[in-house]
Every structure is written in structure tokens, then in C-alpha cells.
Amino acid sequence: MWTSMIDGRFNRKGELIFEIGLITADEALISVPALLDTGFTDWLLLNNEMALDLGWVQTRSQKRMQTAGGIITFRIYQGIILFDREELIIRALGGDEIPDILLGVKWLQIKRLVADYSQNILRLE
């Protein structure tokens, strides 16, 4: 039986990395690595500059969240990503000085995480 899933990899620090596709306003697909961060409680976090370069629509609202660096106000964008061969419209948070694209734990509400570091198996299914 065929199972829908997205394979990932462990980086040298042992972090969980998945390749996702970000879809620009003109429908181009950009493949990027995203780190699954179980401490991040939303769908996606990226740098404001990248969100604007993608042409993603910024909503009028913002979200304040507690981070390791303190309380930060994030901009909210509506974006389209390609995840597990599906185009999904999601809410993405944008911030300044965000070095990595983060996937949050909301993905674990709709996908099962399989992670076995010793066998080098990592996937969302």
C-alpha cells in the first residue's frame, strides 16, 4: 500500500530537516530546507524579507509570542507551500533576523512523525 509521506534528514547537530516547497505569488516553486521545531507552536516561521520576496500577502494582524530571545511581535502572512505533494494555504509568521525556516508542531496535528536516529529514518506521514 502506498503511503503519503515526506522524508527528512538529521543534520550534523541532530536537528530534524525537511525539504518543503514555497510557492511565490507568480506560482514559481522554491525548494528550501525547514527545521521541525517542537518549541514553535504555529505552522511556519520565516524571515520577513523572504516572505516579501515570495510575494506572500501580509495580513493586518500580528502575533506576539514568547521566544528564547524574549517576547517578539511577528507579522502574519498568507502563503502557499507544497508539502507532501499537496499545495496548502497556511498562516506563516515572519520576523526579522530569522536565520532558518521553521516548521512548527501544528504539523504534528495532521502528520505522524517517525524519527529513528540510529536507523537514519525521518519522515512525516
Side-chain angles (χ1 to χ4, degrees):
M1 181 175 158
W2 179 77
T3 306
S4 178
M5 73 179 117
I6 179 172
D7 287 317
R9 64 180 168 80
F10 299 98
N11 68 11
R12 68 179 181 278
K13 291 195 254 182
E15 296 167 322
L16 303 118
I17 307 295
F18 294 92
E19 289 292 321
I20 62 170
L22 305 178
I23 300 175
T24 68
D26 61 0
E27 300 182 1
L29 176 64
I30 300 170
S31 182
V32 295
L35 186 145
L36 180 64
D37 182 349
T38 59
F40 174 54
T41 58
D42 219 296
W43 293 101
L44 186 78
L45 175 66
L46 72 167
N47 193 290
N48 281 320
E49 187 175 321
M50 176 174 255
L52 295 173
D53 288 347
L54 291 165
W56 285 6
V57 177
Q58 182 180 344
T59 68
R60 294 184 189 268
S61 58
Q62 297 181 339
K63 184 171 183 176
R64 291 176 56 82
M65 293 181 75
Q66 178 68 46
T67 70
I71 296 176
I72 297 177
T73 301
F74 294 100
R75 294 180 186 159
I76 300 176
Y77 299 91
Q78 179 177 305
I80 302 174
I81 69 167
L82 184 66
F83 191 88
D84 193 16
R85 291 172 268 191
E86 288 183 77
E87 283 189 16
L88 303 168
I89 298 171
I90 62 160
R91 177 172 88 167
L93 302 184
D96 296 326
E97 301 178 27
I98 304 295
D100 298 306
I101 296 171
L102 300 182
L103 296 171
V105 294
K106 285 216 183 254
W107 292 105
L108 301 181
Q109 293 174 356
I110 62 170
K111 297 288 183 185
R112 181 176 152 229
L113 176 65
V114 177
D116 186 333
Y117 194 83
S118 67
Q119 297 293 314
N120 201 31
I121 297 169
L122 178 62
R123 67 179 159 257
L124 287 167
E125 53 184 34

